[in-house]
Amino acid sequence: MLHNRYQIYRQEDTSFKLIQSYSCWQEVVEFALRQPLNTKKKAYIVDTQADCNCEDIFRIDDSGSLIATGHLARILYEQVKLSPLSTLTLEGAIEPLAITDGVMVLKPLSEACREIQSLNEQVSITTDLAMKSSVLEAPFTRHQHSDNDVALLVYCHDELIATAYFSRYIEDHRFPFHLSELCYELSFHTVYVAPDFRGMGIATCLANSIVNIARVDMTQLHHLLLEANIRLKPWLSALALTPGGEAICDILSEAFVEMNDDVIEELMDEGVTISYQDPIIFVEGIA
């Protein structure tokens, strides 16, 4: 289906699923006319071969007509992506630890689950809860990528002593909540420090490193999206799964707001024309 020019997506909650594709526009029109009236699940057509700056996303209205959404095909959308994990490490996003022989490593969460499980059985359970929780579902459609779910691992003498895991998302530009905005979300799940290493500032260092990663992402995204007069809307969601988690969530949210202010100020100092966007902060505790 991915090789056909016109791809049809059906909205399911806050995501979109590819359900059909056609090579000819007439087939799309016939598909639209066959749809039930007043359906609650919206359907969209993506023209994957639209010329640059031409309308490329259409929706099916209640009468079966095809309506342009106003979205335009742009080359820059191919560059709107998360910063690679290797880049984040090289750009100094990871904060230095205050413990002797301590090392922090950044990995995709999928590669770190087994290590996290060996650190503490409870952590593996909360990992599943964090990934499956609907408490933090944003109203916009997230663009899924292999680098979405990330783990920070802290080692001391080659022993894993602490971890934090989080997710970062870019709103799917094809189906934006607002045409003039694109959301960037940092979703914090949990942090765990082995009992013998608590009170050493490790959790705070983990939280600050997460915010630093968001800074690199957002700075890059601001530069790209401003070329198309699209504003980046920052969003932080944090879920406190364990006792004491609320304190880390508070540290993270305050640092996120300060980081957003700094990024905007730095862009303005560079002569970039940008309007301030208040970050949306959503923190939930279930411990």
Side-chain angles (χ1 to χ4, degrees), residues 117-128:
Q117 186 173 3
S118 68
L119 176 64
N120 188 291
E121 185 66 24
Q122 183 63 31
V123 175
S124 67
I125 296 172
T126 57
T127 300
D128 292 337

Side-chain angles (χ1 to χ4, degrees), residues 217-238:
D217 279 337
M218 288 175 55
T219 300
Q220 170 187 288
L221 291 170
H222 271 302
H223 279 292
L224 283 170
L225 295 175
L226 286 170
E227 294 180 26
N229 294 319
I230 297 173
R231 295 173 298 182
L232 184 68
K233 185 72 175 179
W235 176 293
L236 170 70
S237 57

